[in-house]
Amino acid sequence: MKILIDAGAFDEEPLLKLKNDFSNIEFVFEKNPDRVIEEIEDADVLICFKTSDEALNNAKKLKWIQAASAGVDFWPVDKLNDKNIILTTARGMHKSHISEYALCMMIMAARNIQDYIVEKQNRKITPGIKKQDEISGKKLGILGLGSIGQELARRASFLGMQVYGVKRTAQQTEYVEKVFDSNDMDWIFKNCDYIVNLLPSTKDTLNMIDKKYFDMVKESCTMINIGRGTTVNEEDLYVALKNKQLKLYISDVFAEEPLSEASPLWDLDNIIITPHIAGPNANYSEKFYEVIKPNIEAFIKGEELTNKYDLNKGY
């Protein structure tokens, strides 16, 4: 068996342990994109962040691709399905550091740190510029209770937050006081002090968060999007922010990335923009190794793989 690792975007060292873990498997680490296209011809497995049509067209034996990302909405999933190539994601490995991003932003918003950053840039100190608040006792709504959402719920509840959530199927989830399905999200938007969007990009979630929901939120609400930018209608978002319908919007993702310099969102003072940094991590390869190893073991044994992509669900 040959496993090709497109190592261009990886810290290679942690993944080299796989050679000792599976001594009977040929592992090929390749950073050159042209060589990846050549090596994939007789590979059984591909491990990568993304692949190309050219590489897939040259794959003669490929049975399984292990993606290094949780989201694969940019992948040629229809083509993989036609070629009977299994696709698995890295869902779950991001739950610690992405939930920390959300908590960091909620605490920052509660303490109005964004205003003090502006004060510092203007070499100015205004005592009592904004009241200092806390997240303890506040209502948190989580849109998407996957592995990241569940971890955020756990951590937020320990910090004293009342957690509510939205899931494809409204089933009770640990650390969440009540779970709603995607057709019954109104309560979240009407009542929560913080709303964290973790929704994946699918045909059902496209522009799901629109004027209807922005018109429901409290003026004191802070929203954070670390799911996918395509889940939010950005024209409606701009109007809502311009009209001060919510306190603050923090987004790490947008419909098109990087966000265009021409976007009017840049001109607003109640939005914080970060360049898709919630997912990357200094220990990414070490965490990814923990995903890869058990899946290779399962593949060898002919067992079900973890995080298998479902074409019908879109994740």
Side-chain angles (χ1 to χ4, degrees):
M1 182 188 298
K2 175 179 173 179
I3 296 181
L4 172 61
I5 299 180
D6 185 346
F10 291 113
D11 174 7
E12 199 171 302
E13 188 65 30
L15 303 186
L16 289 173
K17 293 185 291 185
L18 293 169
K19 290 188 174 183
N20 293 325
D21 297 330
F22 305 98
S23 57
N24 294 328
I25 293 178
E26 176 189 1
F27 285 91
V28 176
F29 288 76
E30 185 53 66
K31 293 184 177 181
N32 185 309
D34 293 331
R35 289 286 299 150
V36 168
I37 293 172
E38 294 176 14
E39 291 287 352
I40 202 173
E41 183 174 5
D42 61 345
D44 300 281
V45 179
L46 172 65
I47 297 172
C48 62
F49 268 103
K50 60 181 179 180
T51 191
S52 65
D53 284 339
E54 189 176 0
L56 290 177
N57 289 337
N58 201 41
K60 303 296 191 295
K61 297 173 56 183
L62 199 64
K63 303 177 184 70
W64 166 41
I65 297 178
Q66 170 66 64
S69 58
V72 291
D73 42 284
F74 55 89
W75 280 67
V77 291
D78 289 324
K79 188 167 190 173
L80 296 180
N81 190 55
D82 291 341
K83 293 172 72 71
N84 292 315
I85 297 173
I86 298 169
L87 174 63
T88 55
T89 72
R91 190 170 67 246
M93 64 169 278
H94 305 80
K95 64 182 182 180
S96 175
H97 57 274
I98 290 186
S99 61
E100 283 188 7
Y101 175 102
L103 289 170
C104 165
M105 292 301 181
M106 286 191 287
I107 293 171
M108 185 186 74
R111 305 306 296 260
N112 295 296
I113 299 300
Q114 70 279 1
D115 294 313
Y116 293 101
I117 291 173
V118 173
E119 291 264 290
K120 185 260 183 185
Q121 291 172 339
N122 293 330
R123 306 176 74 90
K124 178 182 178 183
I125 294 177
T126 305
I129 183 174
K130 286 284 181 73
K131 290 181 180 179
Q132 295 296 289
D133 205 344
E134 59 187 327
I135 64 172
S136 179
K138 299 297 191 296
K139 292 183 175 67
L140 166 63
I142 302 175
L143 311 182
L145 286 171
S147 59
I148 297 170
Q150 291 176 47
E151 179 65 9
L152 175 57
R154 185 182 73 85
R155 295 186 181 204
S157 66
F158 287 163
L159 291 172
M161 301 190 83
Q162 302 168 35
V163 183
Y164 302 85
V166 172
K167 200 171 184 178
R168 189 183 184 97
T169 302
Q171 58 191 55
Q172 189 54 45
T173 301
E174 193 173 15
Y175 305 110
V176 181
E177 299 199 18
K178 186 171 182 179
V179 180
F180 303 86
D181 65 32
S182 57
N183 295 314
D184 192 23
M185 298 194 298
D186 293 15
W187 192 94
I188 295 283
F189 284 86
K190 290 176 180 177
N191 294 280
C192 286
D193 304 290
Y194 296 88
I195 300 172
V196 176
N197 180 1
L198 289 163
L199 295 173
S201 178
T202 70
K203 64 181 186 300
D204 295 327
T205 62
L206 181 64
N207 288 325
M208 174 184 281
I209 311 304
D210 58 10
K211 182 180 186 298
K212 169 188 171 182
Y213 292 109
F214 290 127
D215 286 349
M216 294 178 184
V217 296
K218 301 190 294 184
E219 290 183 2
S220 59
C221 177
T222 290
M223 290 185 62
I224 301 170
N225 189 0
I226 43 180
R228 283 292 183 264
T230 55
T231 63
V232 175
N233 183 314
E234 291 180 357
E235 291 183 4
D236 291 352
L237 168 65
Y238 174 77
V239 173
L241 290 175
K242 189 173 177 61
N243 293 336
K244 307 295 184 183
Q245 290 176 244
L246 61 161
K247 173 187 173 182
L248 186 63
Y249 188 86
I250 301 167
S251 192
D252 192 48
V253 291
F254 295 91
E256 293 185 13
E257 297 180 9
L259 183 64
S260 169
E261 291 182 9
S263 172
L265 292 171
W266 291 106
D267 300 324
L268 300 171
D269 60 5
N270 52 352
I271 183 172
I272 292 176
I273 295 168
T274 59
H276 211 132
I277 58 169
N281 185 267
N283 301 313
Y284 203 95
S285 289
E286 287 90 341
K287 293 185 177 189
F288 189 40
Y289 168 81
E290 298 299 330
V291 173
I292 297 171
K293 183 182 177 182
N295 252 1
I296 293 176
E297 290 173 343
F299 186 73
I300 292 170
K301 296 175 182 176
E303 297 175 352
E304 188 70 17
L305 301 179
T306 301
N307 293 342
K308 192 173 177 180
Y309 177 82
D310 187 323
L311 187 64
N312 293 321
K313 290 182 179 179
Y315 57 87

